């Protein structure tokens, strides 16, 4: 959680090495970049209100905020062979292998590259979405499958 004054926001934190959660200087932009991934089709929803409130509080406190509004962007949630323009194995599609190949060769499609750039820029990542049928909306699940790839947000080595 980020807690400032009386405002608490749940967050998904991607640490930059060395792990320094909470090291935010009020005199610099170090540690003050927040990327918000918003997944709700209704701009007047409770979730939209929470996102807007978070943006207002964060900007008032000097944070830099970028938002990906997945529905407004018409983000394509479908992971497919089109995501791999320079396939390593053209006869069999192994998603993890091809995602690692994209990372190694920096050969992502532009929509994925844009989201990866935002992740790399961010010190904190916040997700705002409703719980539908016990989980996140399909558009967010697809965003995670396409953007959270080996060599970007995790690596098992080899």
């Amino acid at each position: 959680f980020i807690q400032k004054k009386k405002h608490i926001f749940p967050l998904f934190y991607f640490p930059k090495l060395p792990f320094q959660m909470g090291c935010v200087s009020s005199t610099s932009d170090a540690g003050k970049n927040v990327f918000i991934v918003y997944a709700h089709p209704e701009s007047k929803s409770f979730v939209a209100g929470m996102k807007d409130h978070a943006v207002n509080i964060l900007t008032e406190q000097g944070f830099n905020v970028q938002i990906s509004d997945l529905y407004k962007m018409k983000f394509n949630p479908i992971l497919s062979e089109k995501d791999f323009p320079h396939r390593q194995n053209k006869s069999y599609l192994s998603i993890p292998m091809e995602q690692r190949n994209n990372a190694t060769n920096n050969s992502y499609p532009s929509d994925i590259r844009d989201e990866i750039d935002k992740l790399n820029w961010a010190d904190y990542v916040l997700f705002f979405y409703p719980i539908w049928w016990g989980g996140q909306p399909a558009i967010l699940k697809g965003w995670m499958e396409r953007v959270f790839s080996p060599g970007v947000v995790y690596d098992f080595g080899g």
Side-chain angles (χ1 to χ4, degrees):
F1 288 94
I2 296 177
Q3 184 173 357
K4 296 288 180 179
K5 300 182 183 174
K6 298 178 185 174
H7 307 285
I8 301 172
F9 305 102
L11 66 90
F12 195 113
Y13 180 69
F14 285 83
K16 292 184 178 176
L17 296 176
F19 185 80
Q20 296 180 326
M21 182 136 173
C23 296
V24 178
S25 168
S26 61
T27 58
S28 78
D29 282 346
K32 297 191 95 170
N33 295 328
V34 179
F35 174 35
I36 293 176
V37 182
Y38 170 67
H40 198 293
E42 176 52 64
S43 63
K44 298 176 203 149
S45 68
F46 176 73
V47 174
M50 290 186 348
K51 182 253 314 164
D52 294 343
H53 183 68
V55 170
N56 290 338
I57 297 299
L58 290 166
T59 54
E60 283 173 10
Q61 294 179 3
F63 285 83
N64 307 303
V65 179
Q66 287 191 56
I67 302 169
S68 281
D69 182 338
L70 301 184
Y71 284 94
K72 192 175 194 179
M73 294 164 54
K74 296 185 182 346
F75 185 81
N76 177 10
I78 300 171
L79 177 62
S80 73
E81 64 185 29
K82 293 176 186 173
D83 289 341
F84 312 106
H86 306 289
R87 292 214 4 218
Q88 191 171 8
N89 183 345
K90 297 193 187 320
S91 64
Y92 180 79
L93 180 59
S94 168
I95 301 295
M97 180 179 77
E98 297 302 343
Q99 285 179 323
R100 189 178 313 277
N101 184 48
N102 274 1
T104 300
N105 298 310
N106 196 21
S107 59
Y108 295 99
S110 62
D111 63 338
I112 296 174
R113 174 84 265 154
D114 292 346
E115 298 305 292
I116 290 170
D117 289 345
K118 293 172 194 174
L119 282 173
N120 288 333
W121 168 84
D123 298 300
Y124 302 95
V125 178
L126 298 163
F127 291 92
F128 289 89
Y129 60 92
I131 303 296
W132 289 338
W133 293 99
Q136 72 270 41
I139 197 167
L140 180 57
K141 175 75 164 76
W143 182 92
M144 290 176 176
E145 288 179 355
R146 293 185 68 215
V147 176
F148 287 2
S149 62
V152 175
V153 297
Y154 69 92
D155 199 343
F156 294 126

